[in-house]
Structure formats: structure tokens, C-alpha cells
Amino acid sequence: MTTTVSPPRVPSDPAVRKTQRPKKAVGIRYGLMERLAPYGYVAPFFALFLVFGLFPLLFTFVVALFDWNPVGSQTFIGLDNFTRLFDDPRFWNAAGNTLSIWLISTIPQLFIALLLAHLLNHARLKWANFFRMSMLLPYITSVAATTIVFAQIFDRDYGLLNHLLELLGADRFDFRNSVLGSHVLIATMVVWRWFGYTTLLYLASLQAIPRDVYEAAAVDGASGWKQFVHITIPSLRPVIIFTIVTSTIGGLQIFTEPLLLSPQGQFSCGAVRQCQTLTLFLYEQGFGQFAFGYGSAVGVVLFGMIVVIALINFLLSTRIKGAQ
Amino acid sequence: MTQQTVPAAVTPPPTRRRSGGRVGRVRWWTYAFLLLAALACIFPLYWMFVVSSAGAGSASKLPPVLVPGTDLPRLVELVFTTVPFVQSLVNSAVVATTIAVGQALTCALAGFAFAKLHFRGRNALFIIVVLTMTVPSQLSVIPQYMIISELGWVDTLQALIVPGLASAFGIFWMRQHISSTISDELLQAARIDGASSWQIFWRIVFPIIRPAAFVLGLLGFVTSWNDFLWPFIVLKSPEMYTVQIAIKALQNNLFVDLGLAMAGSFLATLPLLVVFVFVGRRMVAGIMDGAFKG
């Protein structure tokens, strides 16, 4: 074990000793190195964050004010990128698609995860580990692989789903080339990927509820459904808000699915941009058209949306805390 | 200091409360729903395997073939000859492993500092860490690409590795874990013996939190292995592709065989599935343990 930690005392340098100052609580003298050490431990993160996180974020705001061509010229144009953006039907189309995909993925995912967590939260459930593990399989499958498989399953001519539809007497449906169909296709992939993970988060929360609460409810004759409505859902409220926020921020980032559904060399996700998301639009402008300034303007708008979501989240959670 | 006092000072990792859960009989439809969910999770992966193995043109057959065939070797060979797939598997393994080890170490060390050490500005710095979790890096990919380009890292693996070596989520997670598993008395005892914080971390803290650091590294490995947008932006030549980008390249060759991209996806997923068989339980426990519990 690690119990015999008694390294020889490092003889401290008298110069260093002068700077030592006693800690009230512990009564140990710390050398200069010891007092600086914590900064060293957190330094790697902050160094990387400054270079690859904060600086690019701030610089996005700068680039957005320019007509910025990576191999050509950079001209300061003020807010022109934004006025152009808000007049651009492609931007509003991408925003609408992102919202629609978010709605039809988040809501079903929530209900499925709630139901499954409630079902898994049973003291006497058999094969509990099998159920939990299988629900994490989609999470370890890459979005790229997921898209390839689901695009095949939903394919108009050769897809399994359309074959089933035909067997049931329905018409074949071209998911990829319809607006709603392509949104449903992408939302299905998002739900498939995340519902198990969300279920596990809810389950962890549920297991923190003492058993006697359910026991008392059962003794009082509350049915499974009543227990679900009156015990399960209220105690999950904070974690539900948390998952809604993360799924919203995640929803703004949907990129790989619509990219892999786009025809080769295009970033439009179909002929009428029926499933182009905001992040894919950013990529198309930045790296397809090399309009770094215009693409960065999309990034700034995305940032604004995230700030609004974070504020709503903050207000909601303080209100809930206040109510309790 | 006596050896006996210390183990007592180690708070045992909180035993997961068995209490969790409803009581009474489990109804048949509980199993029915759970089985359905499990099938929904497994089926697309099974389907990937079926299409990659069922033979030439099977993906376009009607009615669809529902059981695996014996044609996997041919399609795998086709995958390997269409794109440098072996190279991309190696690239992905190098990137994901480095990131996993790097994240486990940097996050454990920073989590330890935030949980157990006192230093000026600690709370402010930690708030910054938490705030960075809410801002996705996707929205600033254009300046990120400019930096990578300035560094001369375009089309190199370090462009993928270096930015991923630390993670705010990981620091947050390790801090929670270290706060709840390691007692202050233990660290104080070591302090009195004159151990530096560096020695304390390596001799006392890290051995205790190694399982958690392992799960964190694992999550970092999976995320990095599956990452798409960033490698898609910085990698240019096929020899530098990670497996996810190789899948996209295979998809561009759909005219060769409809099963080609499926076989590539299957091969790209297989390593993670193998890992999952061995450590899946720990991943489940890790996710549930790190989950924020109301």
C-alpha cells in the first residue's frame, strides 16, 4: 500500500526558508516551489486552452469583421458579414434545419431515456449489466460509421426500412431527398447514439433516491405509473435540465451526419440544402468557399446562441433551487 | 507516523448504494421494453457486419439478406486496396492512445490541485475550467486552422494530438472523484512527513484514483478515435487519414461496391468493440459515477 510515505526531508535552502510562511490549519511550512507547484499542475490545461481555445474564440470575432481570404487579401469590412448573413436565405435555412433536427431528436430521446431509466431502476432486475452495456454500444460507435449504416437502412431503393414499408403495403419513401425525411433520418441517428448514455445518467440519479421512498409508495398502493409520475420525474428534474442543455449545445454542433449524407465534394446535404446544419454551413463557407470572414460570422452567431442557452439554463436552475 | 492510522484515514470509495431501485416483482413488459432497446442498439452494428460480409452487391438485393455471409475477406481486401486503411488504423491508434494517456495524467494532476491544494486564484481558475465546457470548439475552427497552419502542422498527427491533451470535462470529473475518495487527513499525514505535493500525488493519490483515471483515458480514447470534424479539416493526404476520414474516402468510392463503406465502418468500429467487451462494465460504472446526481 501507499502508507509508508516518509521520504527524507529535503534540507531547505535558507534563502527559500525566509519566504516560507506557516499555514494556520496544518502548521506546515511550504517552500516557494511547493507554493508554485499547484500552478504547474493546472498549467498544461490553461496553456492548451489559451492557444487552442480562448485565442481562436476571440479571434473568430476579429476575423468576422473582415473579408478574409486565406490565400488572398484581408479587408476590414465592419459588420458587413453580419448584414449579409442575416439576409442570406441559406443561413436561415440552416438555422431552421438545426432547430428542427434538435426538436425531433431531443424530445423523443428524453422520453425514451426516462422510461428506460425507470425500468432499469429495479432492485430485482435480471441481466441488468447486459442491458446497461448494450445501451452504451451506440456511444462507442463513431458518427461516421453510424451515418453509413443508417443511410443504408433508410435508402430508398435498397434500404431495409423501405423494404419493410413495402411489405406493409406502404409506398417507398425517399428519406434523404425530403426535408422532413432527412431531418428524421439525422434525428434518428442522434437519438440512437445518445439515448443509452442519457439513460445511464438518469439511472445514476434515480439510484440516489433511497429505496424506502418507493417502498412507502408501494405500501400506500401507488402503481408503477404513479411512482413514475410522483417520485421518478420530480427527483430527476435537475439532471433533465442538464441533459437538455447538453443536447442543445450538441445539437448546434451536428456536422458529420449531414456531411456524409451530402453528395461527394459538396457540403449542402442535398440538392435543396434540406438538411444542411449551421455547423456544416460554417464549414461550407470557411473551407469550401474559403470565405474565412463569412464563416467566422456564423461562428459568432453560434456563440451568441450558446450564451443565450447558458443564461436560460442558469435562470432555470436558480429558480428551481429557490423553489426548494 | 504509524502505518495503522493511515488506512483508517483513507475514506473507502463510497460503496454504490444497493438501495437504488424500486421493489416488488419485475413485470414481463419491463423485460420486453429493455430487450427492445438493447436490440435497437445492437441491430445497426449487426447490420454493418451483415452487409460487409454478405457478398458482392448484396446491399442492393431484394429482399435484403438478413444473415452474415462469407464474403468479408474480399471486402476487407477491397477496403485495404482502395485507401491506405492499415495506415489509418495505425494513425488513429497513435492519436487516440497519446490523447488517452495525456488526458488521464494532466486531468488527474489538475483535478488533484483543484481538489486538495490551496493556492491563490484556485476558485477563479476552476470557474474558468467549468465555463470552457459550455463553449464548443467547433464554432472557432477557422482561427484554429489558422494557428495550426502558422505552426506548420497542417496534415500532421500532432495537429490532432496536442489540442486534445487536456480536457475541461476531465479536470472537473477528476476533481469530483479526488474530493470524494481521498481524505484530507491522509494528505496531511504525508505533509507532516515532509512529502512534497508532487510526491504525494504519485505515491498516494494516483495509486488510489488509477481506476478513475483509466476510465477517463478510455473515454478520451473513444472520443478521439471517433472524432471527425477536426481531422477532416487538418488532414489532407491519404497516408495521414484517421479511420473516420478513411471511411469518408471509402464512401466516395461507392461505385466500387455498396458494401465498401460498410466494411470500412465495421473495421473502424471493431477495435472499440473488442475493447468494450473487456472494459464496458467499468465504462458504464464510470459514466454513472461521474454523472451529476441532482
Side-chain angles (χ1 to χ4, degrees):
Chain A
M1 247 301 272
T2 50
T3 57
T4 50
V5 190
S6 42
R9 268 167 206 276
V10 191
S12 18
D13 175 11
V16 175
R17 194 179 285 161
K18 262 183 199 156
T19 63
Q20 289 175 341
R21 100 199 124 114
K23 283 263 166 177
K24 276 166 248 149
V26 196
I28 300 167
R29 290 162 178 273
Y30 292 113
L32 179 65
M33 283 302 287
E34 265 309 282
R35 280 191 283 125
L36 289 181
Y39 298 102
Y41 302 156
V42 300
F45 169 79
F46 284 99
L48 290 172
F49 169 67
L50 281 181
V51 178
F52 298 107
L54 186 64
F55 175 72
L57 179 64
L58 298 177
F59 205 57
T60 303
F61 285 78
V62 177
V63 179
L65 302 175
F66 283 79
D67 181 6
W68 192 301
N69 187 317
V71 286
S73 60
Q74 289 103 44
T75 325
F76 181 82
I77 53 168
L79 295 174
D80 280 9
N81 278 327
F82 293 97
T83 43
R84 231 182 92 206
L85 191 66
F86 293 132
D87 280 337
D88 190 340
R90 296 173 306 175
F91 166 73
W92 292 110
N93 169 60
N97 291 344
T98 307
L99 179 69
S100 153
I101 292 169
W102 172 75
L103 273 177
I104 45 184
S105 61
T106 301
I107 295 170
Q109 185 200 327
L110 263 171
F111 282 104
I112 294 170
L114 266 177
L115 176 71
L116 291 175
H118 181 71
L119 295 179
L120 277 172
N121 184 34
H122 214 298
R124 277 199 258 161
L125 187 75
K126 283 178 198 142
W127 313 307
N129 267 313
F130 163 76
F131 290 129
R132 290 177 192 185
M133 274 178 70
S134 61
M135 279 177 207
L136 210 53
L137 277 176
Y139 174 74
I140 62 154
T141 310
S142 75
V143 179
T146 306
T147 311
I148 303 274
V149 178
F150 277 81
Q152 206 277 339
I153 292 174
F154 280 75
D155 189 80
R156 188 193 58 187
D157 299 319
Y158 310 120
L160 199 58
L161 191 66
N162 265 315
H163 185 67
L164 277 177
L165 282 179
E166 205 171 52
L167 279 181
L168 295 172
D171 283 337
R172 284 180 174 272
F173 184 63
D174 193 351
F175 284 92
R176 278 169 76 163
N177 286 316
S178 102
V179 176
L180 190 62
S182 61
H183 294 186
V184 168
L185 169 53
I186 292 175
T188 308
M189 296 189 240
V190 175
V191 172
W192 184 72
R193 186 170 169 70
W194 289 108
F195 82 85
Y197 190 91
T198 313
T199 302
L200 290 183
L201 292 188
Y202 291 174
L203 179 61
S205 250
L206 283 181
Q207 300 212 316
I209 305 173
R211 182 189 284 188
D212 29 321
V213 175
Y214 282 114
E215 261 165 354
V219 169
D220 288 350
S223 63
W225 174 250
K226 282 212 166 126
Q227 292 176 22
F228 181 68
V229 173
H230 295 291
I231 302 174
T232 306
I233 292 189
S235 55
L236 283 184
R237 206 176 293 151
V239 73
I240 290 174
I241 292 175
F242 171 77
T243 51
I244 291 177
V245 170
T246 43
S247 87
T248 310
I249 292 173
L252 290 175
Q253 300 176 65
I254 290 176
F255 169 82
T256 310
E257 298 93 337
L259 174 77
L260 287 179
L261 291 176
S262 304
Q264 193 190 338
Q266 290 179 27
F267 311 109
S268 54
C269 197
V272 291
R273 298 174 175 269
Q274 63 270 29
C275 50
Q276 190 183 46
T277 55
L278 280 170
T279 307
L280 187 59
F281 182 59
L282 187 162
Y283 180 88
E284 183 192 32
Q285 295 310 312
F287 297 97
Q289 312 286 329
F290 298 108
F292 273 17
Y294 200 52
S296 293
V298 181
V300 171
V301 173
L302 278 171
F303 181 76
M305 292 177 174
I306 285 160
V307 169
V308 171
I309 294 162
L311 279 178
I312 294 175
N313 173 40
F314 178 74
L315 290 178
L316 272 180
S317 37
T318 44
R319 250 188 71 185
I320 285 176
K321 275 200 195 108
Q324 274 166 0
Chain B
M1 120 184 163
T2 58
Q3 284 200 23
Q4 292 96 305
T5 58
V6 174
V10 184
T11 359
T15 39
R16 196 153 294 119
R17 277 210 270 177
R18 289 218 174 277
S19 71
R22 295 177 288 142
V23 285
R25 220 153 46 83
V26 188
R27 305 302 180 95
W28 67 269
W29 44 261
T30 298
Y31 288 106
F33 270 116
L34 290 174
L35 211 55
L36 198 67
L39 277 179
C41 291
I42 296 167
F43 181 76
L45 295 170
Y46 171 75
W47 191 239
M48 219 188 285
F49 179 63
V50 168
V51 177
S52 340
S53 68
S58 71
S60 51
K61 255 187 212 130
L62 284 177
V65 185
L66 284 172
V67 286
T70 52
D71 210 28
L72 189 62
R74 189 188 64 85
L75 268 166
V76 168
E77 206 191 317
L78 201 57
V79 166
F80 287 162
T81 51
T82 312
V83 292
F85 202 82
V86 177
Q87 182 65 47
S88 65
L89 281 168
V90 172
N91 292 342
S92 281
V94 168
V95 172
T97 310
T98 321
I99 286 185
V101 174
Q103 274 191 10
L105 294 181
T106 58
C107 296
L109 202 52
F112 164 63
F114 281 125
K116 294 296 177 190
L117 302 179
H118 301 276
F119 54 101
R120 202 178 286 258
R122 180 177 82 164
N123 293 339
L125 288 175
F126 187 67
I127 287 171
I128 295 176
V129 171
V130 173
L131 281 181
T132 61
M133 285 200 287
T134 46
V135 181
S137 62
Q138 262 90 336
L139 61 90
S140 39
V141 283
I142 290 172
Q144 277 165 10
Y145 180 79
M146 292 171 167
I147 291 172
I148 292 298
S149 169
E150 282 297 314
L151 292 169
W153 287 2
V154 174
D155 206 23
T156 65
L157 294 186
Q158 66 256 38
L160 309 184
I161 294 171
V162 176
L165 283 179
S167 104
F169 165 77
I171 292 175
F172 180 77
W173 203 68
M174 289 311 304
R175 177 186 171 270
Q176 300 290 89
H177 186 76
I178 292 172
S179 301
S180 64
T181 49
I182 294 175
S183 75
D184 289 334
E185 290 79 17
L186 173 62
L187 300 185
Q188 271 175 27
R191 279 284 194 201
I192 289 165
D193 272 8
S196 69
S197 59
W198 180 255
Q199 288 167 324
I200 290 176
F201 177 76
W202 287 108
R203 299 197 193 172
I204 303 176
V205 177
F206 195 72
I208 297 176
I209 60 162
R210 202 158 40 197
F214 178 77
V215 172
L216 181 69
L218 212 60
L219 293 176
F221 186 93
V222 171
T223 311
S224 158
W225 182 277
N226 288 340
D227 194 17
F228 189 88
L229 174 60
W230 185 237
F232 186 65
I233 288 174
V234 295
L235 302 179
K236 308 287 177 192
S237 47
E239 311 81 65
M240 301 312 294
Y241 283 176
T242 59
V243 280
Q244 307 306 329
I245 313 304
I247 293 178
K248 165 79 180 142
L250 286 172
Q251 196 206 24
N252 293 343
N253 286 290
L254 274 184
F255 54 89
V256 181
D257 192 310
L258 278 172
L260 192 59
M262 285 287 236
S265 303
F266 175 68
L267 290 174
T269 313
L270 195 59
L272 291 187
L273 287 179
V274 172
V275 172
F276 190 72
V277 168
F278 293 103
V279 297
R281 273 177 89 142
R282 284 170 74 176
M283 258 177 92
V284 169
I287 287 170
M288 287 181 59
D289 200 35
F292 110 94
K293 294 173 181 166

